[in-house]
Amino acid sequence: MRQDWEPEDLIEVWTLLEDDMKKVRNKSGATRLGFALLLKFFEVEARFPESAKEMPAAAVEYVAQQVKVPAGAWADYDWQGDRIKRHRKEIREAYGFRANAEEDQERLAEWLAAELCPLELSRDRLAAVVARCRNDHIEPPAPGQVGRLVGKAVKDFEAQFCRSRVERISHATRSRLEDLVAGSENATGEGADGDGSVSGGGHGPGVVRLCPASW
C-alpha cells in the first residue's frame, strides 16, 4: 500500500459510500474507525494490512473525519483479539471473498510452477499471486507466505523440467553421461589420502550436476 496520497486520490478511493456507512453504523470509537479503515484497505488491496503502520496516515485522518472518531483512536484498535477476526470475516463476506486455506496455497504453488515459471524466470511473483487470488475471490497469503510459495514453485518447476529432459534421453546415453560425471569426479580427487580429496564424498570443483534429482 502506497503511503503518499493526494487529496483527490483520497476522496476517490477512501470515501465511505452509503453502503460502507451502514456497515459502521453500529460501531463506535476505535472499533468504528478500525473497521472503516480495514474495509477501505481491503477494497483497494484485496487483503488486510499486516500492521497498523501499513495504513497510510492521510487515509486515517480522512476516514476518521467521516466516521467522526479522533484519528488517534486508530492506535487503540485491537489487532489481536476476536473482534478483528469478526471484522475481517464481515469484510470478506461483504466483498464476496473467503479466507486463504492450506489447499489454496498448494494450488497457488502448483499454478506458479506450471503456468508462470516456464514463461518468467523472475522470483518476484507477489503481484501475480495477489491478482490470481483477487480473480478467485480468495484473500491472498501474507507476503512472507507468498515468498515461501514462490520458492516451492520454482523448486518444483526446476525438478519437473529436469525430469522431463532426462526422460527424453535414452538409457545408453544416460549411462555414458553418468560415466562422464564419474570420470570428472575421479579426475578432480586423488582418493582419501590425496591432496585433492573431497571430504564427505562431495563433488570437486568444476563438476556440474545436470539434474538435482538422481537419474
Side-chain angles (χ1 to χ4, degrees):
M1 168 68 73
R2 62 190 178 98
Q3 296 296 305
D4 297 327
W5 290 80
E6 296 297 329
E8 57 270 23
D9 295 332
L10 280 174
I11 294 171
E12 180 180 354
V13 175
W14 293 90
T15 296
L16 295 168
L17 304 179
E18 183 178 356
D19 285 346
D20 299 329
M21 293 303 294
K22 288 179 181 178
K23 294 180 178 67
V24 303
R25 193 165 292 160
N26 63 342
K27 299 172 177 63
S28 62
T31 297
R32 181 181 175 93
L33 177 58
F35 181 91
L37 286 167
L38 292 184
L39 181 71
K40 301 308 288 185
F41 189 102
F42 195 92
E43 182 180 310
V44 177
E45 296 284 309
R47 65 177 179 86
F48 294 108
E50 292 192 85
S51 70
K53 295 179 180 179
E54 195 175 354
M55 193 69 68
V60 174
E61 291 285 348
Y62 181 60
V63 172
Q65 294 172 17
Q66 297 176 73
V67 299
K68 296 179 172 38
V69 175
W74 174 235
D76 298 326
Y77 185 67
D78 184 5
W79 284 78
Q80 304 297 329
D82 292 335
R83 183 171 294 166
I84 192 172
K85 295 178 182 178
R86 292 196 300 270
H87 286 180
R88 287 172 174 165
K89 183 176 184 293
E90 184 177 344
I91 291 169
R92 287 189 202 101
E93 291 175 352
Y95 289 112
F97 276 64
R98 62 179 174 81
N100 192 289
E102 185 175 347
E103 54 267 28
D104 294 315
Q105 296 185 32
E106 292 176 357
R107 282 194 291 268
L108 280 171
E110 291 173 359
W111 169 72
L112 284 167
E115 302 294 334
L116 283 190
C117 289
L119 302 175
E120 173 57 57
L121 296 180
S122 169
R123 290 176 179 264
D124 183 10
R125 305 283 195 273
L126 178 58
V129 170
V130 171
R132 172 80 178 197
C133 289
R134 185 190 291 264
N135 184 64
D136 292 343
H137 280 215
I138 301 171
E139 182 186 351
Q145 291 176 304
V146 173
R148 289 190 290 274
L149 285 176
V150 169
K152 181 180 185 303
V154 171
K155 182 178 179 180
D156 289 348
F157 167 71
E158 291 173 347
Q160 292 167 9
F161 179 85
C162 181
R163 283 195 299 270
S164 69
R165 294 303 182 269
V166 170
E167 288 170 357
R168 298 180 183 180
I169 301 174
S170 68
H171 180 73
T173 301
R174 202 178 305 174
S175 296
R176 288 197 294 272
L177 286 173
E178 289 176 342
D179 291 341
L180 285 173
V181 172
S184 298
E185 290 175 340
N186 291 335
T188 56
E190 299 177 5
D193 297 325
D195 292 337
S197 63
V198 181
S199 176
H203 308 303
V207 179
V208 178
R209 282 297 186 187
L210 300 180
C211 180
S214 173
W215 288 348

